[in-house]
């Protein structure tokens, strides 16, 4: 991991506060969704709790809406940081009409937001990585100056799909950043069973591109690493692997029960290093966040989340007819 | 006899085969301490250890490719693909390699292995946790494709698959894992041969061909219309490749009408092959057009409940199709 | 009009589309200086440069996955898979991704791309340079599947495929690349719509459905039996997905008999779908059982000449099947 | 590349002569097959000319018939070194009955020789690599002391199949050697378009296993590198990537014409470094090979090759009925 000097100084207080706000918003939304699940009101949730700092730090290193993002399911905080709204998220969670990711066709947390250049992905892990390299190839072909950020879990880097995608980007020096959110687990399977290297970033050496590992619990640290990778990409320097070490503080998803494969002690130790608390404490130490401001942030988040839940609860389900299209591009309504 | 669920039948089959033959082992994602995401392998890691119940990397083609390698050396791998929807990365290893190994080496090398695959929808899984994949594999010579619909068959067919000298795609109707219950003898070995279909309900008015979860609904629908005086013969195909042509043809020779039901998309689905067999060989027997009732031709099952219900077949939809065909 | 070969038609189509639309580019193995292993892209690298004719790494899934990415950004990739037999590593990207992109995003994202694939046997290619793969892809909603059998259609359909807003699997009967010749106008733009089949020979006694190289042999066989007084209608399906049901059904309504011919293995092959459509919708029209003439159910075409001949269909075998069906 | 000291001294003169003999035999057989093709007598040939030293050096580092080999199509010299005969090869080339690799079902040079533990492979590149790791896993599970050698071209290491296979071997420290025959070309595509690293062996660092690059024109050098890798594997030390730098001195196959993508000068320069000549000259300098012995080797090779051609020419084609089986294991004749 990179030496972590005091990086907070690089960023303006407003930026630090914005980061913190997004982390809080994501966390409250995420927790509320777990509650809905426990109440039997929704069928499924997959959580970004413990990954927020990395995701917000990364998203804020992009030109939002101009750069391209090819995310994976665990990226709720990243999506919010890019401009996706809690209401939109809740529509998806509840499978309601007009849910912008897929018109309620896909499971929740399968992102796709055209207006933000956030590309649709499937559940099949690692399939998104070649798309990211392809978008980057097109950007290079067209001479545009956009950059692509794609994210993935550490386990999924065992897929040949990821290898081939990174290989293309390295050969053609494409403007893409391969962000890895390493939480040491792929459902129940630990990193040692996924790879024989210490860090995912070590794979970079075998593919011919730079790779770094950074503390993913610290948003400004991630922000700096991604900013560097993005500016290398934008200036023709080619792709980078940026591995962020994060904590999966929940079971894999609402379908999982992690008691069979990790101890409660291990989990408690992770929770003791909650990125949200770390960030809050740092900002307070720096004098950037006051007690009042903190209270306000929390209240605002709570309010926005409740509004989203209400909004989505009242929203109608899709018409049944929507299920039948668009199979082909010519079936699109606005065609 | 004990009553058990489908998944219990599967788990018992694996347990018994691991016990019986030390060449048998399990490999797949989360099959170890987690016991599988559906708990099919629960307790087996604890009982047989990490050399016999192996957590693979998150890389399907390697699960199959590694499995093939071990089979070439004489092992009997049971490879688990976590969801049918995730089998495509391994398509090359299955179709190019496992299926063609025996033929291409003139029988010198074989790849006996079971590829266990939870499949099918109706569980809120959306596009990528609901798919049916049988049509792809039932087209490939060299593969066997098996789908149980009862705990008895689940246990008996899985044990046969483990002992089969060929690669067997073993499709498990995951919606039925805990929903479908049935009697399984405890004191004798349960082995169901791969190949024969099963007439699960005798009838005279029309034949309903189904498998997996759809067989479960088909039986429900057949009972329902029986009260209306329609006497349906239900055939549980069980083995899709090689299919039991005799049972298929004999039943239609008796009833004169055929309804084929599957969840997978209609066009080019498995029902096409049954319809084609009938169009070729039951011409003189058919009193009505063959009817396929299948998933609609959209890319996959949508998530939102009303949309999923639109896609998914059930006893109601099947009963309607029966009534329509019976009235022809 | 100029006479040209099938592959010349394809090359002209690519040349014209590269010229017409700067978003179009070619990507695949050896497509650059080598001009493709079959020479389909010969001269295009020299004319359009390495940014528009891109030699990919030896990694099929990346050819398709990268292609999808460029298409999402607005490009119009023509992806070449060197042999149909090597498409399976990319199966996941094609089936899970390209085919489902439009539907899964509610139409927000589309993946317009052409996947060019030389397919078919009879060229001494053995198990892995002879395969037919249409059945797999014709089963997948969201894909279009096209197979030309003449230079005119090769050119006109490929140009349409490049302009189509969907992923199109474009299957090229490689045995016919230089063998099949035909007239193609020089002074007008040749565009053949994706969708409609083509009645390539009118007849009254039976309908023969074919595509690709088999269509070529089908025409030969039809001429041969014409001298014996059997009047065959030949339908060149051309687009396998979505299939032209009207043409299929109208022809059988006229002739009352149907013979479907393809090289690919019989069971679960594309012919099953045509047979099923007829079994469902032409019940009243059929005067004889539907007949499928297809490759045998062995894993793939063997290399040694006598064995290959056993597998491969030709005009003789088709003529025999015609005679048998006509005599029913 | 490893420093190349005088390695010849490690090996006994008989061994060096055996190596040379196998290289000569392979070359003469290979050349004769090209002639058959030019004469229109056979349909297809894919050549190992320029790869012989690497292949013979590798094969001789194994316990023949006990260790396992998962080769690729370019491995004629390796097959001969393992005990495959010119007659068997010619039967395959001509598609004759009883051809041992596949009963004439597969194209020539698709190896499978059960008695020698040489495993059947397809034409689909890189598919064999996971099989090799699987065999090695089975060896480890059974506690046997065999080792697996698998070979591949440098271009084919771009496939996800290869990555996933090596990854498994590295994670589980499996007894397998991944030999790469790097001739810089994949048909027409040069290495720079296949990877962004200098050497395939560099990929080892990203996968967590050792990797070396050696001069593949020098059989004893390869022999030593493979011997080291094999003994590491056999003693539980895990897998190794051994990259051998070789020359493809012919077009890709008899279907190829390499004039469109490499200059005649480039080809001549390769041919000037013919591994056969290099080996011969070295052995003569060392006094291991006399002029007489050289003449004898050449004559014997010629004789064996002609015998093989005659034998295969006279051999019958398979019965047509053979094409129909064995689709399933139970269809095997001897079942
Ligand atoms: C190809 C494929 N195989 C299996 C799965 C099932 N699955 C979903 S997420 C997951 C684990 C992913 O782990 P990782 O990549 O580390 O990401 P994380 O969830 O930890 O963020 C698995 C096995 C899948 N979605 N796709
Ligand atoms: C999956 C797949 N794609 C394409 C091909 C066609 N093909 C055969 S050999 C070859 C080049 C292989 O190059 P390399 O791996 O460097 O081995 P070499 O032939 O140079 O020894 C190609 C593209 C194939 N056989 N398999
Ligand atoms: Mg993880
Ligand atoms: Mg090479």
């Amino acid at each position: 991991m990179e030496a972590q000097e005091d990086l907070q100084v690089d960023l303006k207080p407003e930026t630090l506060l914005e980061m913190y706000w997004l982390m809080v918003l994501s966390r409250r939304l995420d927790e509320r969704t777990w509650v809905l699940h426990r109440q039997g009101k929704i069928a499924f949730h997959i959580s970004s709790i413990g990954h927020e700092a990395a995701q917000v730090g990364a998203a804020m290193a992009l030109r939002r809406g101009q750069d391209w993002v090819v995310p994976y399911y665990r990226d709720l905080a990243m999506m919010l940081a890019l401009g996706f709204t809690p209401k939109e998220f809740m529509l998806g969670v509840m499978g309601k009409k007009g849910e912008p990711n897929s018109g309620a066709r896909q499971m929740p947390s399968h992102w796709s937001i055209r207006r933000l250049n956030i590309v649709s992905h499937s559940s099949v892990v690692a399939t998104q990585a070649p798309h990211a390299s392809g978008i980057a190839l097109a950007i290079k072909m067209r001479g545009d100056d956009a950059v692509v950020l794609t994210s993935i879990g550490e386990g999924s880097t065992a897929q040949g799909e990821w290898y081939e995608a990174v290989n293309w980007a390295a050969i053609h020096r494409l403007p893409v950043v391969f962000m890895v959110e390493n939480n040491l687990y792929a459902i129940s399977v630990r990193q040692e069973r996924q790879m024989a290297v210490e860090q995912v970033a070590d794979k970079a050496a075998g593919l011919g591109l730079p790779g770094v590992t950074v503390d993913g619990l610290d948003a400004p640290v991630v922000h700096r690493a991604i900013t560097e990778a993005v500016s290398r990409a934008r200036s023709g320097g080619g792709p980078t692997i940026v591995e962020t070490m994060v904590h999966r503080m929940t079971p894999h998803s609402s379908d999982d029960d992690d008691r069979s494969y990790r101890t409660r002690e291990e989990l408690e130790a992770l929770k003791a290093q909650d990125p949200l608390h770390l960030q809050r404490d740092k900002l307070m130490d720096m004098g950037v966040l006051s007690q009042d401001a903190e209270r306000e942030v929390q209240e605002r988040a709570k309010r926005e989340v409740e509004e989203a839940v209400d909004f989505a609860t009242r929203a109608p389900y899709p018409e049944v007819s929507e299920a039948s299209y668009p199979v082909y591009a010519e079936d699109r309504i606005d065609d | 006899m004990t009553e058990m669920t489908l998944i219990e039948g599967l788990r018992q089959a694996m347990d018994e085969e691991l016990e019986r033959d030390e060449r048998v082992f399990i490999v797949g994602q989360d099959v170890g301490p987690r016991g599988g995401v559906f708990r099919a392998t629960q307790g087996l890691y604890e009982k047989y250890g990490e050399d016999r119940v192996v957590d693979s990397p998150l890389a399907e083609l390697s699960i199959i490719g590694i499995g093939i390698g071990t089979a070439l050396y004489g092992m009997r791998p049971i490879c688990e693909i976590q969801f049918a929807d995730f089998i495509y990365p391994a398509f090359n290893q299955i179709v190019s390699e496992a299926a063609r190994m025996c033929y291409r080496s003139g029988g010198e090398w074989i790849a006996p292995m079971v590829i266990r695959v939870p499949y099918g929808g109706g569980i809120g899984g959306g596009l990528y946790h609901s798919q049916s994949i049988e049509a792809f594999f039932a087209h490939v010579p060299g593969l066997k494709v098996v789908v149980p619909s009862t705990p008895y068959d689940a246990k008996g067919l899985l044990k046969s698959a483990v002992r089969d000298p060929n690669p067997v795609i073993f499709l498990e109707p995951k919606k039925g894992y805990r929903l479908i219950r049935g009697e399984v003898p405890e004191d004798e070995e349960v082995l169901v041969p791969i190949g024969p279909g099963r007439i699960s309900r005798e009838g005279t008015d029309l034949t309903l061909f189904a498998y997996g979860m759809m067989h479960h609904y088909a039986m429900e629908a057949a009972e329902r219309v029986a009260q209306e005086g329609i006497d349906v013969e239900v055939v549980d195909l069980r083995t899709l490749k090689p299919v039991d042509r005799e049972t298929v043809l004999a039943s239609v020779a008796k009833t004169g009408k055929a309804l084929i039901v599957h969840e997978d998309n209609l066009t080019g689905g498995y029902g096409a092959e049954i319809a084609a067999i009938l169009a070729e060989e039951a011409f003189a027997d058919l009193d009505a057009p063959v009817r396929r009732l299948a998933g609609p031709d959209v890319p996959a099952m949508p998530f939102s409940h009303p949309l999923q219900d639109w896609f998914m077949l059930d006893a109601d939809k099947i009963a309607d199709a029966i009534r329509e065909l019976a009235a022809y």
Side-chain angles (χ1 to χ4, degrees), chain B residues 123-137:
Chain B
I123 55 145
L127 269 73
Y128 295 98
H129 294 79
S130 307
Q131 293 173 39
S132 296
I133 54 165
E134 65 274 16
F136 294 126
F137 297 105

Side-chain angles (χ1 to χ4, degrees), chain A residues 51 72-74 152-156 180-187 189 191 194 246 248 252, chain B residues 58:
Chain A
H51 287 230
Y72 85 124
Y73 50 79
R74 209 174 287 290
I152 196 167
E154 85 295 340
S156 302
V180 179
E181 303 183 27
N182 187 345
N183 57 21
L184 301 181
Y185 282 92
I187 307 186
V189 182
Q191 181 187 314
Q194 301 286 357
V246 295
R248 197 191 84 199
H252 172 70
Chain B
L58 181 30

Side-chain angles (χ1 to χ4, degrees), chain A residues 32-45 90-96 108 254 306 309-310 312-314 317, chain B residues 303 305:
Chain A
R32 186 69 174 86
T33 313
W34 282 102
V35 171
L36 288 170
H37 184 263
R38 271 196 296 276
Q39 294 172 333
K41 293 191 176 154
I42 61 162
F44 179 80
H45 179 49
M90 272 297 159
L91 287 176
V93 165
M94 297 187 188
K96 293 298 182 74
S254 58
E306 289 314 318
V309 172
D310 286 351
T313 304
R314 283 194 314 270
Y317 284 99
Chain B
F303 168 73
H305 272 279

